[in-house]
Amino acid sequence: MRRNAFTTFHPIVNFVYFTFVLVFSMAFMHPLFQAISLAGAIGYSILLNGRKAVKFNLLYMLPLLLVMAAFNPIFNHAGVTILFYLPNGNPFTRESILYGIAAACMYVTVIVWFSCFNKVITSDKLMYLFGKIMPAISLILAMTLRFVPRYRHQLSVISQAQRSIGRDLSQGNLIERARNGLRILSILTTWAMENAIETADSMKARGYGLPKRTSFSIYRFERRDQLTLSIMIGLVAIVLTGAALEENTIRYFPSVVMKEYSLFSFVVYGAYFIFCTLPVMFQIVEEVKWKYIVSKI
Amino acid sequence: MEVYRIEDLSFSFPGQQKKALSQIDLTVSSGEFITIIGKSGCGKSTLLKQLKPILAPHGVSSGTIHYKEAPLSEIDHRTQASEIGFVLQNPDNGIVTDKVWHELAFGLESLGLDGQTIRLRVAEMASFFGIQTWFHKPVSELSGGQKQLLNLASVMAMHPSLLILDEPTSQLDPIAAMEFLETVSKINRELGVTVIMTEHRLEEVLPLTDRLIVLDDGCLIADDAPRNVGKKLHAMGHPMYLSMPAPMQIYTAIETETMMHTPLPLTVKEGRQWLQGKFRYSAETSGLHDQKDGPAVKLQQPVAAEFKDVWFKYEKNGPDIIKDLSFKVQKGQFYCLVGGNGTGKSTALSLLSGIVRPYRGKVLLEGKQPASMKVRDLFHNFLGVLPQNPQSLFVKKTVELDLYEMLSDSEETMEQKKVRMDAVSAFAELEPLLSMHPYDLSGGEQQRAALAKVLLLEPTILILDEPTKGLDSFFKEKLGLFLKKLNAEGVTIIMVSHDIEFCAKYGEECSMFFDGGIVSTNTATAFFAGNNFYTTSANRMARHLWRDAVTVESVIERCQTSL
């Protein structure tokens, strides 16, 4: 994975950010807000995944957007501005085209944000966040993540051993193969149970089961996490105020209605822009600083 | 200060008349390094587990164990967890979580420490054990040695005053084992932690040991400094003496009269000094005549397996694992491949059994390529492979059923099957174990049961991957004799091993594997005589006098003839 400034923040900061950005992207259908969020998402996904993200966005997201935008007016006939009538007699309206575009845009934005979420919130961070809520679940997750590769490895060991006595999955006719497969699974199960007893011993030996277990993490909530979190909360507060004053809302049917622009609405737009492009900005700032430091040496 | 006082401890498993431990009396003082030895199944592990009640198996016990003046049964779980550290045999089973840092913190989380304290202790331990470089790694990417170090570190993070280790190095290769034992010794020396461990690698562990305890069939038969225990075992004529370090065995065989009054040599260095003093004048200048018996002893035999300029890599752009490997194994030979970890030895075996194909060159088994042979032709009456982990072969509830299962698809009658079964179980000495569950057998017994299973396919070429891993000297010797017997019956044996002593004793021809190819090949004796470092300890001790004296027996013989 490429190094990215935003991923180095505390998981809570990452998580809060993604929660709000996803909720906002789903809730605000205002075209400007959608554009801002989509730009932020695409920008960040490219920073995170590089060429792969460009490919993903062009190859899958763009067609998805176009298809969804085109399909809405074919099936949705609400709206007052009728452009023409479809062959089956239904009206084709401007509002439904706009709504189609908006809905498709929202959908794509959320998917792209989720692709960023997947990169940033790694299993470690997810486990930490879970652990904050339910420590037991977080331990189970950690143990599962330990056992899955282990079992997979053992499965290949067993399968190789069985192969060397002529009883592998790749040998014999269909029934024999099925039987061999089951046999390998049964060996794995016996093995897993036998060894789980020792693992349980190792847990007991290290005091598992004592009351008041704590959950340790390597993440530290640093001052910059505090600062970033407060900035984020400030921006969110502005955006939410805007939402309460209906700056971010839009009505599509029967006719498109948006609130008139005012000074405050630009404040809200600005706040939302900063919020959506935060990860990208962090990266740019860090890179500029780095270049500056290097150039000084 | 006394850490443990064990008085008259006996223990038997439920439903068994025989006592697993009987009348053990033992005191352990703070800061001691105690090693417990004994044959597999002599009660070593049972004794260790009695010292940490939360791990103690069910059963009937009598006698008392005091921990720091208080009866052990009154020590609560929390104290036990933090003060008595326990490291298990299998490094994989000890690890619970998926990340190194999390594993280090596991015990501390259980104790309910706060984040700051855990952070400090984890940092301390990672630095002490040199774990910083792989601190963030997932556990699945570690080597066996690293895993066991991690187990040790995560126990040490709880700041125990006592460390109990149950054969911690049995699953490790010699280099990782040495490193692990050094670390344990460092913990004992620098942190003053009391160490009680069971171990098979006496050569390495005895120099570190303060007190050596020998168990035999649940009874404590010796408890003294290692050198004195050596004398005692020798005087008793006890079979455990054969697992003592080579210098000690050689010394007692030669100095039969004075040995009771002088300290026995423990290390190669001490053995060498003694030999030098004793044979200063009588030493022959040897090392010349060993060149003549090269590998050309049995050239007239047909070739069983052959590698012809073989190259292999796992991935297209990956590194070459096998580089221009060529060698021949003649029919009826006992061929050993020795060498360090990651040199490609196991890959060579995979090539040999047709699991993978070379991208250049040829692998031939009696002139045929194993990778393109039909499975039935390859593994029936032709090639037998004994996997490193015998557990991966067992399917049934008892050893007997497991052996019958191998014959399930043959067309023989029940009587014929019975005859073959009896023959193979007699050969592998499995008769008393036939009704047991394969997992309940000891490591050496499991190995023999697995070998019996493979032998039922009547292989003419037998491939073994690290067969001595985790075996004690007694079972090793037994395995060696079995392999010799098979070899005498005409089975070609190709073995990969780290175990130099084993190869020197039983192997016929040895090759040193390094960096994907073979560096040197020779008959076992000449091979080890030609190496300076990569050779048996008996040879390292005596090679300045007799270069080709490789085994303990041959050094003793040379000493006797030179006296």
Side-chain angles (χ1 to χ4, degrees):
Chain A
M1 194 177 105
R2 290 161 180 238
R3 211 196 111 76
N4 185 278
F6 189 60
T7 55
T8 61
F9 282 95
H10 194 271
I12 288 192
V13 177
N14 293 153
F15 191 71
V16 167
Y17 179 80
F18 278 111
T19 315
F20 278 112
V21 93
L22 283 166
V23 168
F24 286 169
S25 304
M26 281 188 258
F28 302 152
M29 297 288 273
H30 193 288
L32 192 61
F33 280 76
Q34 285 196 320
I36 290 171
S37 181
L38 185 61
I42 289 178
Y44 192 38
S45 77
I46 291 173
L47 266 185
L48 279 175
N49 293 328
R51 194 173 297 190
K52 241 168 77 189
V54 179
K55 215 166 114 188
F56 177 75
N57 289 336
L58 284 180
L59 226 65
Y60 299 103
M61 291 299 107
L62 192 65
L64 183 70
L65 193 135
L66 294 177
V67 167
M68 281 186 68
F71 263 85
N72 190 56
I74 297 176
F75 298 106
N76 184 348
H77 311 295
V80 288
T81 326
I82 296 164
L83 297 175
F84 56 87
Y85 286 92
L86 291 165
N88 61 5
N90 281 322
F92 196 88
T93 65
R94 198 178 70 157
E95 283 78 12
S96 66
I97 295 178
L98 290 177
Y99 184 75
I101 294 173
C105 188
M106 184 261 274
Y107 196 68
V108 166
T109 309
V110 168
I111 292 179
V112 177
W113 272 126
F114 259 116
S115 77
C116 298
F117 177 93
N118 264 341
K119 270 275 151 156
V120 174
I121 309 273
T122 54
S123 64
D124 267 14
K125 290 187 181 175
L126 201 63
M127 219 143 63
Y128 167 76
L129 294 165
F130 260 119
K132 281 278 155 201
I133 313 163
M134 287 175 281
I137 297 228
S138 138
L139 181 65
I140 289 173
L141 261 174
M143 290 178 66
T144 315
L145 286 173
R146 156 98 185 100
F147 284 133
V148 168
R150 200 174 161 210
Y151 287 175
R152 198 182 299 144
H153 172 76
Q154 185 65 20
L155 197 63
S156 76
V157 168
I158 293 172
S159 146
Q160 243 182 50
Q162 290 294 314
R163 186 187 184 281
S164 67
I165 53 172
R167 290 169 185 206
D168 186 21
L169 267 185
S170 59
Q171 295 158 350
N173 60 31
L174 199 64
I175 297 168
E176 273 169 14
R177 280 176 194 219
R179 208 193 300 148
N180 292 345
L182 279 179
R183 187 186 291 117
I184 290 172
L185 268 186
S186 123
I187 298 174
L188 182 70
T189 316
T190 318
W191 173 88
M193 292 201 193
E194 277 291 324
N195 287 280
I197 295 172
E198 258 194 52
T199 307
D201 270 354
S202 161
M203 291 172 74
K204 271 193 289 181
R206 281 183 287 158
Y208 185 73
L210 284 170
K212 287 189 198 147
R213 188 183 156 77
T214 49
S215 176
F216 172 71
S217 82
I218 41 173
Y219 304 108
R220 240 186 308 192
F221 203 76
E222 294 158 15
R223 208 186 303 272
R224 86 191 168 117
D225 293 310
Q226 266 174 28
L227 194 70
T228 314
L229 196 63
S230 29
I231 291 174
M232 271 165 47
I233 288 172
L235 293 172
V236 165
I238 298 173
V239 174
L240 285 178
T241 320
L245 296 174
E246 304 198 323
E247 293 288 349
N248 321 350
T249 37
I250 180 169
R251 197 191 75 187
Y252 281 100
F253 301 109
S255 61
V256 177
V257 176
M258 281 190 276
K259 206 173 176 186
E260 294 283 310
Y261 299 121
S262 66
L263 188 63
F264 182 66
S265 50
F266 282 103
V267 172
V268 177
Y269 301 155
Y272 194 59
F273 179 77
I274 296 174
F275 186 70
C276 286
T277 50
L278 260 184
V280 178
M281 283 198 291
F282 280 130
Q283 180 69 13
I284 291 170
V285 168
E286 192 148 283
E287 236 156 74
V288 169
K289 263 194 196 161
W290 181 250
K291 289 250 163 71
Y292 177 73
I293 296 169
V294 171
S295 71
K296 283 283 158 193
I297 306 170
Chain B
M1 193 186 84
E2 266 178 15
V3 182
Y4 277 115
R5 198 171 70 244
I6 302 169
E7 281 163 351
D8 197 28
L9 176 72
S10 296
F11 178 83
S12 51
F13 285 102
Q16 285 189 7
Q17 287 295 312
K18 197 168 154 289
K19 281 184 174 164
L21 295 172
S22 62
Q23 294 167 338
I24 306 277
D25 281 297
L26 187 64
T27 50
V28 177
S29 314
S30 176
E32 276 188 305
F33 192 125
I34 296 181
T35 306
I36 302 176
I37 61 168
K39 269 193 219 171
S40 295
C42 71
K44 285 174 299 185
S45 299
T46 316
L47 177 59
L48 289 189
K49 288 197 169 161
Q50 294 296 325
L51 300 180
K52 179 145 176 152
I54 189 125
L55 297 181
H58 291 287
V60 190
S61 68
S62 63
T64 55
I65 305 177
H66 278 76
Y67 175 73
K68 293 187 178 166
E69 310 297 319
L72 187 58
S73 49
E74 287 171 17
I75 307 289
D76 64 357
H77 187 180
R78 187 173 293 273
T79 318
Q80 261 189 53
S82 64
E83 291 192 7
I84 307 175
F86 203 106
V87 176
L88 301 164
Q89 184 171 0
N90 188 328
D92 265 314
N93 289 343
I95 297 174
V96 178
T97 59
D98 63 329
K99 289 282 161 76
V100 171
W101 63 265
H102 198 177
E103 188 63 25
L104 282 172
F106 181 84
L108 304 170
E109 289 181 326
S110 304
L111 293 179
L113 299 180
D114 62 279
Q116 201 45 48
T117 319
I118 296 182
R119 194 177 298 276
L120 172 66
R121 291 216 192 163
V122 163
E124 267 192 319
M125 279 309 128
S127 317
F128 187 85
F129 288 92
I131 288 175
Q132 314 91 315
T133 45
W134 34 283
F135 186 67
H136 288 280
K137 272 200 183 176
V139 168
S140 51
E141 287 175 17
L142 305 183
S143 71
Q146 286 177 323
K147 280 181 190 159
Q148 197 63 306
L149 268 185
L150 175 60
N151 274 318
L152 181 61
S154 65
V155 165
M156 284 309 296
M158 302 172 78
H159 292 183
S161 59
L162 177 86
L163 195 55
I164 301 173
L165 306 105
D166 188 5
E167 290 179 25
T169 67
S170 68
Q171 302 298 313
L172 308 184
D173 65 84
I175 301 200
M178 197 59 229
E179 195 185 333
F180 184 84
L181 291 174
E182 288 289 347
T183 312
V184 173
S185 167
K186 188 176 157 198
I187 290 170
N188 176 252
R189 275 192 328 260
E190 294 180 9
L191 307 176
V193 174
T194 314
V195 173
I196 305 175
M197 75 188 301
T198 59
E199 186 54 67
H200 289 320
R201 297 175 196 266
L202 299 186
E203 199 101 29
E204 289 90 355
V205 84
L206 286 193
L208 312 172
T209 304
D210 296 326
R211 250 169 85 194
L212 182 64
I213 289 171
V214 187
L215 285 187
D216 187 14
D217 222 6
C219 300
L220 196 152
I221 57 168
D223 173 6
D224 209 332
R227 294 173 210 269
N228 300 338
V229 170
K231 284 180 196 170
K232 211 167 178 179
L233 286 177
H234 183 70
M236 288 157 82
H238 198 272
M240 264 321 281
Y241 190 72
L242 292 176
S243 52
M244 286 289 155
M248 198 187 260
Q249 289 188 44
I250 295 167
Y251 184 86
T252 45
I254 303 303
E255 304 274 4
T256 37
E257 269 134 53
T258 56
M259 63 156 275
M260 282 327 273
H261 316 292
T262 49
L264 305 186
L266 270 186
T267 58
V268 168
K269 174 183 152 187
E270 290 167 1
R272 222 178 146 93
Q273 283 165 345
W274 161 71
L275 265 187
Q276 231 151 10
K278 190 152 184 80
F279 295 96
R280 202 176 316 159
Y281 307 108
S282 55
E284 50 172 305
T285 45
S286 74
L288 300 170
H289 69 285
D290 57 11
Q291 306 293 336
K292 64 178 183 256
D293 47 357
V297 187
K298 280 193 191 171
L299 259 189
Q300 63 278 23
Q301 289 288 333
V303 174
E306 184 177 11
F307 275 62
K308 267 189 192 165
D309 314 320
V310 170
W311 291 73
F312 177 77
K313 57 191 172 190
Y314 280 103
E315 287 145 27
K316 194 174 166 225
N317 298 318
D320 286 317
I321 308 293
I322 300 287
K323 299 175 191 169
D324 196 25
L325 176 64
S326 303
F327 69 93
K328 280 181 191 171
V329 181
Q330 282 150 21
K331 247 195 161 127
Q333 246 183 349
F334 191 149
Y335 196 95
C336 306
L337 284 169
V338 297
N341 253 357
T343 48
K345 287 177 301 171
S346 295
T347 310
L349 288 195
S350 300
L351 283 163
L352 205 54
S353 51
I355 292 170
V356 290
R357 284 166 183 266
Y359 74 90
R360 200 183 293 151
K362 265 184 188 160
V363 179
L364 296 172
L365 282 175
E366 293 188 358
K368 288 171 278 191
Q369 294 198 29
S372 26
M373 279 177 79
K374 269 201 192 133
V375 172
R376 196 155 254 289
D377 303 333
L378 183 60
F379 293 115
H380 280 249
N381 310 328
F382 189 42
L383 187 69
V385 182
L386 184 66
Q388 204 177 99
N389 180 353
Q391 289 185 348
S392 53
L393 280 184
F394 301 135
V395 237
K396 294 285 180 196
K397 273 197 212 88
T398 66
V399 176
E400 189 171 15
L401 292 173
D402 222 306
L403 290 174
Y404 270 120
E405 201 266 349
M406 279 310 273
L407 300 170
S408 60
D409 44 349
S410 82
E411 281 107 43
E412 292 167 306
T413 61
M414 214 47 214
E415 284 79 51
Q416 279 171 316
K417 282 184 183 173
K418 177 109 182 66
V419 170
R420 281 181 62 188
M421 247 285 298
D422 288 345
V424 85
S425 50
F427 176 81
E429 295 181 19
L430 289 171
E431 286 113 332
L433 311 171
L434 283 177
S435 61
M436 284 171 75
H437 192 283
Y439 276 75
D440 291 339
L441 307 181
S442 74
E445 290 164 348
Q446 283 187 356
Q447 188 101 46
R448 288 209 310 263
L451 185 62
K453 267 193 99 162
V454 174
L455 289 181
L456 280 174
L457 294 173
E458 298 179 335
T460 56
I461 303 173
L462 184 62
I463 296 180
L464 305 151
D465 192 0
E466 300 284 358
T468 58
K469 196 174 188 179
L471 299 191
D472 64 11
S473 56
F474 175 75
F475 275 116
K476 262 188 215 174
E477 182 150 347
K478 214 159 194 179
L479 177 72
L481 294 176
F482 278 127
L483 294 181
K484 276 275 178 207
K485 213 155 87 183
L486 272 179
N487 193 227
E489 286 169 16
V491 177
T492 312
I493 297 177
I494 303 172
M495 177 172 87
V496 154
S497 184
H498 286 300
D499 196 330
I500 298 174
E501 314 280 335
F502 188 79
C503 293
K505 202 162 175 186
Y506 302 103
E508 193 175 338
E509 189 153 324
C510 292
S511 288
M512 169 115 172
F513 220 89
F514 180 73
D515 195 25
I518 283 177
V519 182
S520 75
T521 303
N522 217 326
T523 55
T525 308
F527 173 80
F528 288 110
N531 292 353
N532 274 312
F533 307 105
Y534 206 80
T535 177
T536 62
S537 55
N539 186 246
R540 271 179 282 138
M541 175 179 149
R543 63 180 292 111
H544 59 300
L545 297 173
W546 309 289
R547 247 185 117 167
D548 50 349
V550 169
T551 59
V552 172
E553 291 77 17
S554 63
V555 174
I556 293 175
E557 197 189 301
R558 290 304 184 87
C559 286
Q560 280 163 347
T561 51
S562 307
L563 267 177

